[in-house]
Amino acid sequence: MTLEIRPVHGIGDVTAGDDLAELITKAAPWLADGDVLVVTSKIVSKAEGRLVEVPADGPEREEARQRALAGETARVVARRGPTTIVQTHHGFVMAAAGIDASNVDKTHLVLLPADPDASARALRDSLRARNLDVAVIISDTMGRAWRNGLTDVALGAAGIEALRDHRGEIDPYGNELTLTQMAVIDELAAAAELVKGKSDRVPVAVVRGYPRTTHSDLGARELVRDTASDMFSLGTSEAREQGLRDAARLSGEPADADVARFVAARSGALRLTPAGPAPADLLRLGARAQGVRVSLAAAGLRSAVEFDDEGVTVTIEGDL
């Protein structure tokens, strides 16, 4: 297989309501059937009006960014200093939900397309109406959990299979492949980035020569791993905190508002007393005291416990 990757120059600034198919075909009259069109998500978002107005600077800008982040977040995966890794409503796990302040004026932030697969299908349909049968990949930049550096990946796709499934094939040594599924749309998105760059104002590239198939046209959502099969669905600290919270509930005791307020206060002492003098009551008291300490540990707090004839006192001693 021989691939040719060509940048598409001359797209220019994209604004809400622009016809991307028109802009692309004017800039790339050489576009041909069978090509794979890789389009940076940012110009898709701009054309679809997925921008948030923010102050140009000052604390109000950061407050507006945080509000936008909250709106795009389905769940927080990890936080480290100023960096927040979240899962978006699309299912993508990304820093800052993919919200971007680059290649846009200082009074706006760019959100991801609301439905990148739908955006890819719409662009492909518009190009087909112009008698061009091309595949479309909507790309964006992501980090990787196990490696430094960034790479472009596919957020949306149409007219091309997301995965090339090699399972059942036999390698040159006679071994049957049992797990290998290549994320070809990610590979093509990364290859296209080599000619697009990050500050060269080239938001579109064309990959020519890839033998695309469309036996399955599920789009890029086929690459989103569900939480049940995701072994890294939380950051290290967040997984530890979740484990401690789960441990705090092992006693089966109902949630206690007093305990919640105590943990939130992050200082002071909490007095616990048994429901009665029976041995079972004393056992439940001990379990409850341990649950409080686990809840404090999950919140990053060190504690001490002191038993006496009438009950137990849990005291917060400071940060872990």
Side-chain angles (χ1 to χ4, degrees), residues 70-269:
E72 295 296 298
T73 297
R75 68 180 181 92
V76 174
V77 175
R79 285 193 178 97
R80 298 293 182 275
T83 302
T84 303
I85 308 296
V86 306
Q87 185 173 41
T88 70
H89 298 294
H90 320 78
F92 308 136
V93 176
M94 306 178 72
I99 298 171
D100 202 346
S102 64
N103 291 300
V104 67
D105 69 83
K106 292 184 180 296
T107 62
H108 288 91
L109 299 174
V110 184
L111 309 180
L112 295 180
D115 185 342
D117 281 330
S119 299
R121 289 192 298 270
L123 180 53
R124 172 170 156 79
D125 288 344
S126 293
L127 292 166
R128 291 177 75 179
R130 291 168 169 80
N131 298 314
L132 281 170
D133 182 12
V134 301
V136 175
I137 294 172
I138 308 297
S139 68
D140 199 53
T141 304
M142 282 191 189
R144 283 92 40 90
W146 302 284
R147 298 175 69 83
N148 291 323
L150 307 174
T151 188
D152 272 22
V153 301
L155 300 187
I160 186 171
E161 287 186 318
L163 293 167
R164 173 170 282 189
D165 194 346
H166 294 279
R167 292 175 299 180
E169 297 178 8
I170 305 299
D171 73 13
Y173 294 91
N175 303 303
E176 181 179 349
L177 303 179
T178 58
L179 298 173
T180 306
Q181 292 177 290
M182 301 304 297
V184 292
I185 57 173
D186 280 350
E187 293 177 311
L188 292 169
E193 195 279 330
L194 295 173
V195 300
K196 289 192 294 179
K198 292 303 176 193
S199 57
D200 298 332
R201 298 176 69 86
V202 181
V204 179
V206 173
V207 180
R208 180 165 291 172
Y210 179 75
R212 62 187 174 92
T213 58
T214 55
H215 299 302
S216 170
D217 197 6
L218 297 177
R221 70 179 182 275
E222 190 174 5
L223 302 186
V224 176
R225 182 170 289 164
D226 62 78
T227 303
S229 59
D230 187 354
M231 297 173 65
F232 305 94
S233 62
L234 288 172
T236 305
S237 297
E238 288 73 18
R240 174 180 176 274
E241 291 171 5
Q242 183 61 53
L244 289 169
R245 284 192 293 269
D246 290 344
R249 292 193 291 268
L250 289 178
S251 66
E253 294 292 328
D256 190 319
D258 289 338
V259 173
R261 284 191 292 269
F262 178 51
V263 174
R266 302 185 68 84
S267 65

Side-chain angles (χ1 to χ4, degrees), residues 244 259 262-264 266-267 290-304 314-316 320:
L244 289 169
V259 173
F262 178 51
V263 174
R266 302 185 68 84
S267 65
Q290 185 59 27
V292 172
R293 298 193 71 195
V294 171
S295 296
L296 291 169
L301 296 169
R302 187 176 72 256
S303 64
V314 180
T315 304
I316 295 175
L320 285 173

